[in-house]
């Protein structure tokens, strides 16, 4: 998020933000990642998966801390998490939170979803490896031809 896109960057005081996050954000450790961002910035609230595949985040805290939190939850440098969009609503803080919770659903369902995603990611890795090996074989063949020409 660009600095000028962050609605909290120029605000002061205590605020509450409610966010909807879409992308590859379920089954990839995003809730734990967000909880870590909250711990580092000192905001309170919760994060949870929604049935539609998005993630809901509700956070309260000082505007500067929330601005830092908002930038962090984009997960820019995370290899598996892929945040494609975040919708943000600013509302009045309620003070109802004493910390930050990563809320989880049915354990068996969560494990199944993560297993399916892990399988999909492994397929991507294997496909990439196949492509790299094919390119390496082409490169080796070219090098062999160059060596033959040089030896003549």
């Amino acid at each position: 998020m660009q600095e000028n896109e962050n609605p909290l960057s120029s605000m002061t005081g205590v605020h509450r933000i409610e966010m909807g996050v879409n992308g590859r954000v379920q089954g990839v450790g995003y809730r734990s990642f967000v909880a870590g961002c909250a711990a580092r910035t000192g905001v309170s609230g919760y994060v949870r998966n929604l049935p539609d595949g998005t993630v809901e985040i509700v956070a309260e805290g000082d505007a500067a801390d929330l601005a830092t939190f908002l930038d962090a939850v984009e997960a820019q440098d995370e290899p598996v998490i892929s945040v494609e969009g975040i919708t943000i609503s600013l509302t009045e803080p309620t003070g109802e939170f004493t910390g930050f919770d990563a809320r989880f659903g049915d354990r068996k369902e969560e494990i199944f979803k993560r297993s399916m995603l892990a399988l999909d990611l492994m397929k991507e890795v294997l496909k990439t490896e196949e492509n790299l090996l094919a390119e390496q074989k082409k490169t080796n063949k070219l090098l062999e031809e160059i060596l033959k020409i040089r030896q003549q």
Side-chain angles (χ1 to χ4, degrees):
M1 177 174 294
Q2 302 293 333
E3 182 66 25
N4 58 1
E5 291 179 20
N6 190 322
L8 296 155
S9 60
S10 63
M11 299 175 85
T12 59
V14 176
H15 297 277
R16 176 184 179 115
I17 53 175
E18 298 176 1
M19 297 180 276
V21 184
N22 62 44
R24 186 165 55 193
V25 290
Q26 288 196 9
V28 292
Y30 185 63
R31 285 172 292 178
S32 295
F33 175 82
V34 170
C37 295
R40 286 189 299 280
T41 58
V43 302
S44 58
Y46 69 87
V47 58
R48 69 178 178 150
N49 285 351
L50 296 178
D52 66 359
T54 64
V55 170
E56 176 186 51
I57 302 171
V58 176
E60 291 186 359
D62 181 73
D65 295 337
L66 285 171
T68 302
F69 175 74
L70 182 54
D71 288 337
V73 299
E74 287 189 329
Q76 294 278 332
D77 297 323
E78 290 298 308
V80 179
I81 299 167
S82 178
V83 173
E84 294 175 6
I86 300 177
T87 59
I88 305 163
S89 298
L90 271 76
T91 60
E92 290 296 316
T94 64
E96 67 188 275
F97 306 113
T98 57
F100 197 91
D101 295 319
R103 298 181 179 172
F104 293 88
D106 179 66
R107 194 134 182 92
K108 287 181 183 178
E109 184 177 326
E110 297 247 352
I111 290 171
F112 177 75
K113 285 180 181 179
R114 285 180 187 232
S115 298
M116 294 308 296
L117 179 64
L119 180 61
D120 289 342
L121 291 172
M122 183 57 77
K123 288 177 184 178
E124 286 181 37
V125 167
L126 291 173
K127 190 181 296 181
T128 301
E129 182 183 39
E130 280 180 15
N131 292 337
L132 288 172
L133 288 172
E135 288 299 316
Q136 184 64 49
K137 286 179 182 179
K138 288 179 189 176
T139 302
N140 288 347
K141 191 171 187 174
L142 286 172
L143 288 172
E144 286 174 10
E145 289 176 15
I146 291 170
L147 286 173
K148 285 180 185 176
I149 292 172
R150 285 189 155 189
Q151 290 174 353
Q152 292 178 356

